[in-house]
Amino acid sequence: MKSQKLQRLKRFLLKKSIHTKIEIAKIFLLNCNYDKCIKILEPILDLTVFSIQAEIYCKALYYLPNSIVILKNILEGYRSASVYCNTTVIIELEIFFSLKRRDKLNEISSFALKFKPNEKSYIYYKLLALFQLDLQDELLSILESIDIYEFRQEVMVLACNGYFVLGKHQKSLEIAYHLVQRNRNYEGLFFNTYLRIPDNKLEKEEIVKSGLFLRITDGNSESEFKLTDSTGLYSKIVGLKLNDEFEHEDSFTQIKTKYKIIGIYNKIQYFYLSLLKKVNTPDSNIRGKMIHFDSNNLESIQNSILQNIGKNGADEKLEEEKFNNYFKGILSFSELLNQASFNNFFDLYLFLTKNPSCKVLTIPYLVLEKIISSKSKYLLDLSTIKMIYDLENEGLFESAERYSISSFTKSIIDQFYLNDKNGLKSDLMMQIKNDQIIPVHYSKEFYERRSEDIAKFKLWIDKNIDVVNAKSFIDSGRQINNFSSTNDSFKALLDSSLLAQEDYLLLSNDSFYFKYRLGQPKNICNPLHYIKSNSINFESINRYLISNNYIGIELSKNILLAEYKLNIEGKINFFQNCVDNLNFNLNPNLDNLLESVKFIKEVLINRTYAIEQSKTAIEKILHMILSFRAPNVIDYLILSINSEFVNNP
């Protein structure tokens, strides 16, 4: 009997002890003493079973360094066992939100909504994921099932953009209008939404009725007012149409005046017009400028544009200087992307590869190891993903490996795809310079072909690329001031460099990692080394890359001869690009010197080439080589000449 009482007493005291420790752990958590919180919980914690201890433990673990990977595994285990807890769900959502993993947000929010279908925070994350993943049917289904005006402003912004993407422009505009009535900071969102809607899709008022705003004129002046049932003119003008006239007698002077209706607006249209009037004022929250034209004369309009935009717009010399700094290796690819007028990596890459005056730089051979690491996981970034895609698309290269990219790189690509898919496209654009306006015409076929290319690129990524994050990314981000507001481009660079320091080999043409010490050479590889080790036709790949302005290519006598032959025949050729690859500052590959000497010997021996043409080609090559007076370059050149002309005549 005493034994049973003793056991009951022990169990009672144990429960008291557990309860006391839990309460103490809560106090430590509230006071941000996360280490102490975890330490007191560990003896009474069984993570295989969800409990109040486990919930507190997960909260504390979220804020501890080097714990995110462990925490993700714990939370995923609970979710896979269908254990629902709002705290753990929110933590998991916040983790993957900060990592831009929209696929995971979709998965977790779907799980949580099974238990709480009306929870607004879950609905927000679900909408965010569906919008970014371009799952339009499901997006529309959720938007139509909720009262969007009951949600916080971030959800309304999502709904505004979501309805616009779905083609429901008027609904999108209505939400933007409600948003700006709550918060003037959304004036820009409203303004841009209104402007993006095609004119024929805007709801317009044609008949005068109560509640509308009218603009009338007597021929000398204009006035505006809102028509209500109590307006004195109501009975006279209700039912009239645009451009109709009516007569009104002044009650004091008895003078009759004829008026013409020149504008009929609903509240949204009228609000848009009121914003137009204040665009150029300091009180405006709209990023833009209104230009007023004094006449319909074309020359006058051009002068107004140049005066307001040309002199204050992009400085041509500054833009040219940025590109020249990149071509010299002073700016990295990422820096050029963020500083140049191009606002996306896709168009910048096309410009660099298709413009004859441009170059695409690779990281020099001497910076990186030539031997590919034994690691089997390869990581791409914005500087290489289009390069690998183009080579595979051209049928020049196919790797058995799957590639990976940072989720932030994927987010940049997804956003670019959505912007292209849903953005307005004009067949006439203007290139505004300091002193002239150059009209640029784009056909419908151009946009269709471009959008088709972008869609194919996106599909290839979705099929062939895994999305990953560095284990230490969140911890590293917490050490950087204002990291949450940092743009995705920097986050992608940081994540990629951290992945390269973990267990990935980063294939990159971006010198940013070295300039700012975001990576280690042993974990970053020149993609040409990787391609060479996985290709049976590397020379064809090199010729293709030379034709796309790449610097850092391994030249061969055959490549030089092929391009030289096309050059003297007056056909399209890239012989100058070959010569540019002898720039030892950008491509310090001594093997290229030997191949150049072999080419010179072949040209001199082969009598089919004209003497003057041969002389010009040889002078170009020697001038490029000798312009860099590094002793090892000169010594190796002399050695190569002796090898080919003296020892092997």
Side-chain angles (χ1 to χ4, degrees):
M1 194 71 175
K2 285 184 178 180
S3 165
Q4 289 178 350
K5 286 183 178 179
L6 189 60
Q7 290 297 324
R8 284 199 297 271
L9 180 61
K10 284 182 177 179
R11 285 196 295 270
F12 174 76
L13 292 174
L14 182 62
K15 286 181 180 178
K16 276 285 186 182
S17 173
I18 292 173
H19 177 74
T20 302
K21 287 183 178 180
I22 289 172
E23 292 304 311
I24 294 172
K26 286 180 180 178
I27 293 171
F28 282 140
L29 183 66
L30 286 171
N31 287 283
C32 303
N33 291 323
Y34 305 118
D35 285 316
K36 291 182 179 180
C37 177
I38 285 175
K39 190 173 182 179
I40 200 170
L41 286 173
E42 282 176 340
I44 59 172
L45 184 66
D46 180 4
L47 286 173
T48 61
V49 180
F50 186 76
S51 60
I52 183 65
Q53 300 98 293
E55 182 180 349
I56 298 168
Y57 180 83
C58 289
K59 279 185 179 180
L61 202 61
Y62 179 58
Y63 295 103
L64 276 183
N66 306 315
S67 61
I68 294 298
V69 175
I70 298 170
L71 180 58
K72 283 197 294 186
N73 292 335
I74 294 171
L75 297 176
E76 189 171 355
Y78 289 143
R79 187 159 43 84
S80 61
S82 294
V83 173
Y84 168 78
C85 170
N86 179 63
T87 300
T88 55
V89 165
I90 290 297
I91 290 173
E92 200 173 10
L93 286 168
E94 287 179 356
I95 288 172
F96 287 109
F97 175 77
S98 65
L99 294 174
K100 285 287 178 84
R101 291 296 301 271
R102 305 310 188 203
D103 54 337
K104 285 291 185 181
L105 288 184
N106 188 31
E107 180 184 318
I108 298 163
S109 58
S110 296
F111 166 80
L113 285 167
K114 291 177 184 177
F115 297 90
K116 280 193 173 182
N118 297 318
E119 175 59 43
K120 291 179 179 178
S121 60
Y122 300 161
I123 292 172
Y124 166 69
Y125 283 117
K126 181 70 175 178
L127 289 172
L128 180 64
L130 294 175
F131 180 77
Q132 292 290 339
L133 294 170
D134 201 29
L135 299 174
Q136 295 190 2
D137 291 341
E138 199 174 350
L139 178 64
L140 178 61
S141 175
I142 292 181
L143 285 175
E144 292 186 337
S145 69
I146 60 176
D147 183 356
I148 199 65
Y149 301 114
E150 291 183 354
F151 285 76
R152 66 180 193 265
Q153 292 172 4
E154 294 92 333
V155 183
M156 292 180 67
V157 172
L158 261 177
C160 173
N161 292 325
Y163 274 117
F164 194 93
V165 166
L166 294 164
K168 297 182 177 293
H169 298 143
Q170 195 61 37
K171 181 68 175 177
S172 174
L173 188 60
E174 288 170 8
I175 295 171
Y177 175 77
H178 279 277
L179 261 172
V180 80
Q181 302 310 306
R182 292 188 189 182
N183 188 338
R184 277 197 53 212
N185 289 330
Y186 291 107
E187 285 180 353
L189 175 69
F190 172 84
F191 194 74
N192 290 331
T193 303
Y194 194 100
L195 288 178
R196 288 167 63 200
I197 299 175
D199 195 53
N200 60 351
K201 297 289 180 67
L202 281 168
E203 286 187 6
K204 296 180 180 179
E205 304 296 337
E206 297 179 352
I207 300 176
V208 176
K209 55 187 176 183
S210 180
L212 297 181
F213 295 85
L214 303 182
R215 182 188 294 172
I216 60 175
T217 180
D218 61 1
N220 296 315
S221 61
E222 297 178 3
S223 58
E224 298 173 355
F225 60 93
K226 183 179 181 180
L227 183 66
T228 63
D229 297 350
S230 59
T231 306
L233 291 171
Y234 180 78
S235 58
K236 284 186 179 181
I237 63 176
V238 70
L240 295 181
K241 296 180 180 180
L242 190 66
N243 295 322
D244 281 354
E245 296 181 345
F246 65 92
E247 195 172 69
H248 175 65
E249 182 180 295
D250 189 284
S251 58
F252 181 71
T253 64
Q254 281 79 50
I255 296 175
K256 292 181 179 181
T257 306
K258 186 177 285 188
Y259 293 94
K260 183 178 182 180
I261 300 172
I262 57 175
I264 307 174
Y265 313 107
N266 57 39
K267 62 183 180 182
I268 293 178
Q269 291 172 307
Y270 192 74
F271 181 71
Y272 168 73
L273 293 174
S274 69
L275 283 184
L276 277 180
K277 295 174 182 177
K278 57 180 271 187
V279 166
N280 291 344
T281 67
D283 188 42
S284 175
N285 289 311
I286 299 169
R287 294 178 63 187
K289 183 173 183 177
M290 286 290 295
I291 302 174
H292 299 282
F293 302 121
D294 297 328
S295 73
N296 293 327
N297 180 270
L298 180 59
E299 186 177 349
S300 173
I301 292 173
Q302 288 181 334
N303 289 336
S304 295
I305 294 174
L306 288 173
Q307 184 177 359
N308 285 276
I309 298 177
K311 292 179 181 178
N312 299 318
D315 189 318
E316 294 170 61
K317 290 184 179 179
L318 182 60
E319 184 82 352
E320 186 179 340
E321 183 181 343
K322 290 172 185 174
F323 277 95
N324 285 334
N325 283 338
Y326 169 71
F327 301 149
K328 294 173 184 175
I330 298 171
L331 281 184
S332 66
F333 179 84
S334 295
E335 289 171 313
L336 180 65
L337 177 59
N338 284 297
Q339 293 182 28
S341 58
F342 290 90
N343 59 3
N344 67 77
F345 76 98
F346 192 91
D347 288 329
L348 175 59
Y349 183 83
L350 288 180
F351 181 76
L352 292 175
T353 54
K354 304 306 177 188
N355 191 321
S357 63
C358 289
K359 299 180 179 71
V360 182
L361 302 188
T362 61
I363 299 173
Y365 274 20
L366 295 183
V367 176
L368 302 172
E369 296 176 348
K370 284 194 176 185
I371 300 173
I372 295 295
S373 166
S374 59
K375 296 178 181 181
S376 59
K377 294 193 287 187
Y378 296 98
L379 187 72
L380 304 177
D381 64 8
L382 289 177
S383 71
T384 50
I385 192 165
K386 186 71 168 61
M387 170 191 185
I388 298 294
Y389 167 75
D390 285 347
L391 288 174
E392 291 201 5
N393 195 45
E394 293 288 332
L396 292 168
F397 178 70
E398 184 175 356
S399 172
E401 310 291 346
R402 280 188 67 82
Y403 305 107
S404 297
I405 56 174
S406 161
S407 63
F408 297 98
T409 303
K410 182 66 161 61
S411 176
I412 291 168
I413 294 169
D414 287 346
Q415 192 59 55
F416 167 68
Y417 166 74
L418 289 173
N419 289 344
D420 176 78
K421 181 180 178 183
N422 303 313
L424 292 178
K425 298 174 176 66
S426 172
D427 59 357
L428 177 61
M429 300 181 74
M430 293 184 295
Q431 183 180 1
I432 302 173
K433 297 193 173 185
N434 291 343
D435 56 356
Q436 62 177 320
I437 298 174
I438 303 173
V440 182
H441 294 272
Y442 292 112
S443 65
K444 181 181 178 182
E445 290 74 19
F446 167 82
Y447 283 116
E448 289 175 349
R449 189 166 59 251
R450 171 185 160 81
S451 295
E452 185 180 328
D453 289 343
I454 293 169
K456 284 180 180 178
F457 175 59
K458 170 79 163 44
L459 181 63
W460 176 81
I461 290 172
D462 292 341
K463 284 186 174 181
N464 299 285
I465 308 288
D466 296 322
V467 180
V468 293
N469 291 105
K471 297 170 186 175
S472 58
F473 176 81
I474 291 179
D475 291 325
S476 298
R478 285 171 175 169
Q479 298 173 27
I480 301 173
N481 292 333
N482 301 317
F483 186 68
S484 59
S485 59
T486 306
N487 64 35
D488 280 357
S489 296
F490 178 77
K491 288 178 180 176
L493 288 164
L494 177 62
D495 199 21
S496 296
S497 69
L498 293 172
L499 284 161
Q501 292 170 38
E502 291 175 6
D503 52 2
Y504 284 85
L505 186 65
L506 173 59
L507 308 178
S508 180
N509 289 322
D510 199 334
S511 61
F512 187 90
Y513 302 102
F514 301 95
K515 290 181 67 176
Y516 300 97
R517 299 189 179 182
L518 283 180
Q520 300 174 1
K522 65 179 182 180
N523 294 327
I524 301 179
C525 176
N526 185 317
L528 295 174
H529 299 324
Y530 162 75
I531 291 168
K532 184 177 181 179
S533 66
N534 288 275
S535 172
I536 58 173
N537 195 10
F538 190 52
E539 191 162 292
S540 295
I541 290 173
N542 277 337
R543 275 200 79 180
Y544 173 79
L545 293 174
I546 287 170
S547 72
N548 281 272
N549 303 331
Y550 268 82
I551 300 295
I553 305 301
E554 281 188 16
L555 295 175
S556 70
K557 180 185 77 171
N558 291 337
I559 290 176
L560 286 162
L561 284 170
E563 294 300 331
Y564 175 63
K565 186 173 183 294
L566 292 172
N567 178 263
I568 62 176
E569 290 174 354
K571 297 178 181 177
I572 295 174
N573 69 93
F574 302 97
F575 182 72
Q576 183 57 50
N577 288 3
C578 293
V579 174
D580 290 340
N581 266 281
L582 294 169
N583 181 325
F584 203 77
N585 279 349
L586 301 177
N587 187 15
N589 186 345
L590 289 172
D591 292 341
N592 283 351
L593 298 185
L594 178 59
E595 293 300 314
S596 300
V597 172
K598 289 179 180 179
F599 163 76
I600 291 171
K601 179 181 177 182
E602 180 68 26
V603 168
L604 291 174
I605 292 173
N606 194 327
R607 300 303 179 91
T608 59
Y609 302 121
I611 294 175
E612 282 303 316
Q613 291 172 323
S614 300
K615 180 183 175 184
T616 301
I618 293 170
E619 283 178 349
K620 278 186 176 182
I621 288 174
L622 291 177
H623 175 76
M624 181 62 77
I625 295 172
L626 295 173
S627 61
F628 304 97
R629 300 185 180 278
N632 62 325
V633 175
I634 305 300
D635 291 345
Y636 196 80
L637 178 62
I638 294 170
L639 187 65
S640 300
I641 291 172
N642 285 334
S643 172
E644 288 299 314
F645 286 90
V646 179
N647 301 332
N648 188 23

